[in-house]
Amino acid sequence: MNLEQLKQKIEAAGVVGAGGAGFPTHKKLALGIDTVLVNASECEPLLYTDFTIMQQHMAQVAAGAEETAKALGAKQVVVAMKSHTAAELNYQDGETAGSFSVIKTVPNIYPVGDEIILIYQALGKIVPPGQLPAAVGVVVINVETAYNIFKSLCDIPVTEKWLTIGGNVPQPVVVKVPVNCDVKAVLKAAGISVPPGHTVLDGGPAMGRIINPNTAKITKKTKSLLILPDEIPAVAMKTTSTERVLKRASSACCQCSFCTDMCPRHLIGYPIQSHRTLRAVGSGQISSPNDLLTASLCSGCGVCTFMACCQGIIPSATMAEVKKNLGKNRLAYRSTEPTVPDPERDNRLVPSSRLKGRIGVANFDKPARFIEDFTVSQEFYSLPLSQHVGIPSVPLVQAGDEVEAGQMIAKAAQGISAALHSPVKGKVLSVTDSYIEVKAGGVK
Ligand code: SF4
Ligand code: SF4
């Protein structure tokens, strides 16, 4: 299969980055790639989603990545996973999975799943600041994305999502649910209610976002639902208002620069200097435009907040705010020059066990059980036309149409966009600019 044919299959199946990014996968693939890197590192604590997919479907994950590599003319497929994950899946570093995918073990550090860090850790390459992995001949795909690529080759669209339900629950589980089903329906099917004083996160404890479990939906990007106590740092830091964040940055920062010294991207040579960004925001002292511009290189990992700052400041939130404003003004730091890792990097890596302790989730990390026959009962589905990066999907149906499970109901728009499929057989109730509502007819 050539690259155009593969991209058509992937586009028709509505595959987007399932690791949380949501970038339409067919738009990520272009010639000039020598390595397909499968991100199997699952670096946030409490998540067992990718681990379970590999446990159940490693051959298909490898096949999806290998077909991608062949279509791209890439030389290799590298599956990067943590050493303990490899051991549990009975793989060794350097061993082959699938036909020619090679397992590469990486240490259990946070945030090794940040693709810029993973490319360095697994391949020894550094993506120049502000560039895409393609600049060093690499395309990174998540485990579930590779699995969805495999299914697209069999003309099976993305209509289900794998996710971990974990946190302060009696038994964490991994389940498959229909894309766009309601979070409350998933929790009900799992027999889980959210206790008072707890918050639900979509995503990992460090980088996930707070959702309202009564109104939120599972999207193509959802990796987990975590139920966590409000008082733990992982949650408390997310509930601090932007106003308070900026006030703390201006009043309490002593410019010790620990946040910069510990920043994982700074440690591979990126010119992020969060203490300078905080000074620029807090007191207006700007020594160079790069004090602000380099915030565009921030991954949002939170290491500066959780592991470095002892003043109760939330540097990662300030960085996020600056990055957001840079984005609005189409400003970003870019360089074509390779960078040089800090010689102190090895001494400043953050073991996942330390992160878990700092953010208050160590007691909740129990292996998740896979429930294969998990069923969500839901009658009405509201399917957002924009659950991916880019332009909303274009509806192909109208109110009153009967649809089959897996039928494409919205196609990818011109440009960066993705198709959408009905997860259930049913009837279209309404079509708006932002969603398609389907009433399920006697299906799960
Ligand atoms: S959140 Fe903090 S530690 Fe992480 S990349 Fe941004 S500045 Fe660096
Ligand atoms: S670690 Fe905290 S106090 Fe030190 S420079 Fe960074 S934000 Fe300021």
Side-chain angles (χ1 to χ4, degrees), residues 259 263-265 272 274 298-304 316 319:
C259 49
C263 171
R265 288 195 168 192
I272 294 184
S274 48
C298 170
S299 69
C301 69
V303 163
C304 49
S316 53
M319 296 296 278

Side-chain angles (χ1 to χ4, degrees), residues 188-221:
K188 186 177 174 194
I192 292 171
S193 52
V194 182
H198 282 64
T199 291
V200 181
L201 299 186
D202 177 329
M207 293 181 72
R209 63 191 175 89
I210 293 174
I211 56 169
N212 180 339
N214 295 315
T215 55
K217 295 179 191 314
I218 304 300
T219 72
K220 291 182 180 181
K221 302 183 286 186

Side-chain angles (χ1 to χ4, degrees), residues 80-96:
M81 63 178 74
K82 292 177 177 176
S83 307
H84 69 91
T85 305
E88 285 170 50
L89 294 172
N90 288 319
Y91 285 113
Q92 292 188 345
D93 188 51
E95 197 175 329
T96 302

Side-chain angles (χ1 to χ4, degrees), residues 196-261:
H198 282 64
T199 291
V200 181
L201 299 186
D202 177 329
M207 293 181 72
R209 63 191 175 89
I210 293 174
I211 56 169
N212 180 339
N214 295 315
T215 55
K217 295 179 191 314
I218 304 300
T219 72
K220 291 182 180 181
K221 302 183 286 186
T222 305
K223 269 295 180 199
S224 63
L225 296 174
L226 300 180
I227 294 107
L228 294 169
D230 294 345
E231 70 272 13
I232 64 169
V235 176
M237 157 274 190
K238 297 182 207 307
T239 52
T240 308
S241 69
T242 304
E243 190 187 12
R244 199 169 164 82
V245 162
L246 297 177
K247 203 167 174 186
R248 278 194 206 167
S250 64
S251 62
C253 177
C254 65
Q255 287 292 291
C256 66
S257 82
F258 288 165
C259 49
T260 297
D261 295 343

Side-chain angles (χ1 to χ4, degrees), residues 268-308:
I268 62 165
Y270 275 32
I272 294 184
Q273 299 203 66
S274 48
H275 70 289
R276 289 194 180 202
T277 307
L278 265 88
R279 186 181 64 185
V281 171
S283 64
Q285 288 182 59
I286 301 177
S287 53
S288 144
N290 285 343
D291 289 356
L292 291 167
L293 264 186
T294 52
S296 67
L297 303 173
C298 170
S299 69
C301 69
V303 163
C304 49
T305 296
F306 296 127
M307 307 303 297

Side-chain angles (χ1 to χ4, degrees), residues 1-3 6 29-36 65-77 100 137 139:
M1 185 176 290
N2 66 33
L3 182 56
L6 177 71
L29 306 179
L31 294 174
I33 298 297
D34 64 45
T35 302
V36 173
E66 289 170 7
E67 283 304 320
T68 305
K70 284 186 214 162
L72 288 168
K75 293 191 202 110
Q76 59 175 354
V77 174
F100 61 90
V139 66

